[in-house]
Amino acid sequence: MRKLVLLAILAIAAAVLPTALAAAATTVPEAVQAGPTADQILAKVASCKQISNGKYKTDEDSGSATVPVCDAGKAVFWKADMDIDCDGQRTTECNENTDCCFLPDTAFPQSDGKPLNAAKLPYIVVPSSSSIWNYENSGLSGGGSCAVIYNGKVEYAVIGDTGPNKIIGEASYATAKDLGINPDPKNGGVDSGVTYVCFKNSTVNPIEDHSAATSTGEKLASEFVGGN
């Protein structure tokens, strides 16, 4: 009798299990992209309404200043190169030995007062305020939300540091790495093809929370793409 009962249970399990597994498989959601694509964002910044009083160089030794800062309604943007910023906390990747120009500080600190960690946190550098452009007058501030676009990829970052007042186009080690750009501060970066889109009057809190930067950036980018 026990054998018959056991056989009956096994038969029922064999019949029910495949159906249950199939049902469970159909309930697993597929991964979807929360924010707009690189192409959708780039379509909104195809033309430049220049707001900078002149243009910026991409490097100190650049022959001429060629990069304007442009207004795009809910955001400002510029198209430039990417130099690697390793400033902030000392790490294996970012220190005096790996970067000749390393500084153990960032203009905008973490919520605990420590400098940002360039090796882990995607952040961008804005030029220090000058007669060319004052980023604060455009609604930007430390911890502001930006989308950085390169080679079809979008990386959401924060405004984490300020740089020379006549040069533009710089981001942290982590930003470059996530975009597939060589992040080495000695020989990394890329000469062109990077678009920086920073959303006005935005804040990521705390500044060091990259997941918050991503969710905030995706929301703002969607509103930017969907707006007139």
Side-chain angles (χ1 to χ4, degrees):
M1 176 64 71
R2 291 180 179 177
K3 291 182 178 180
L4 292 175
V5 172
L6 181 58
L7 289 172
I9 293 173
L10 290 174
I12 293 172
V16 172
L17 186 58
T19 303
L21 289 174
T26 59
T27 61
V28 177
E30 294 184 1
V32 295
Q33 182 172 333
T37 65
D39 285 345
Q40 288 174 317
I41 299 174
L42 291 175
K44 297 289 290 187
V45 296
S47 59
C48 175
K49 179 182 178 182
Q50 184 171 332
I51 55 173
S52 57
N53 183 29
K55 299 179 180 180
Y56 287 94
K57 291 185 176 184
T58 54
D59 296 290
E60 288 184 5
D61 56 356
S62 296
S64 59
T66 59
V67 180
V69 177
C70 313
D71 185 82
K74 294 181 178 180
V76 299
F77 70 93
W78 55 94
K79 300 179 180 182
D81 64 342
M82 181 183 288
D83 296 324
I84 307 302
D85 189 342
C86 246
D87 292 345
Q89 296 183 34
R90 288 183 178 85
T91 61
T92 301
E93 300 86 355
C94 294
N95 56 66
E96 291 87 347
N97 294 322
T98 63
D99 183 2
C100 66
C101 307
F102 174 79
L103 294 174
D105 199 9
T106 50
F108 308 108
Q110 295 183 162
S111 56
D112 60 4
K114 295 180 180 179
L116 301 180
N117 187 331
K120 291 185 177 180
L121 181 69
Y123 70 73
I124 75 158
V125 179
V126 293
S128 297
S129 297
S130 70
S131 59
I132 300 176
W133 180 54
N134 183 331
Y135 63 90
E136 292 179 309
N137 291 344
S138 295
L140 306 188
S141 60
S145 174
C146 302
V148 188
I149 303 165
Y150 176 73
N151 199 25
K153 295 181 180 179
V154 182
E155 174 72 356
Y156 292 101
V158 293
I159 296 174
D161 205 359
T162 57
N165 60 15
K166 294 182 180 180
I167 298 173
I168 204 167
E170 188 175 6
S172 68
Y173 183 106
T175 307
K177 183 178 179 181
D178 287 354
L179 285 171
I181 296 171
N182 179 3
D184 191 323
K186 290 183 178 179
N187 56 29
V190 67
D191 291 336
S192 62
V194 184
T195 300
Y196 303 79
V197 181
C198 291
F199 305 106
K200 298 177 181 178
N201 305 311
S202 63
T203 303
V204 175
N205 190 20
I207 189 175
E208 69 270 17
D209 187 342
H210 182 49
S211 62
T214 299
S215 59
T216 299
E218 288 174 340
K219 177 177 179 295
L220 293 171
S222 296
E223 293 173 354
F224 176 62
V225 167
N228 294 325

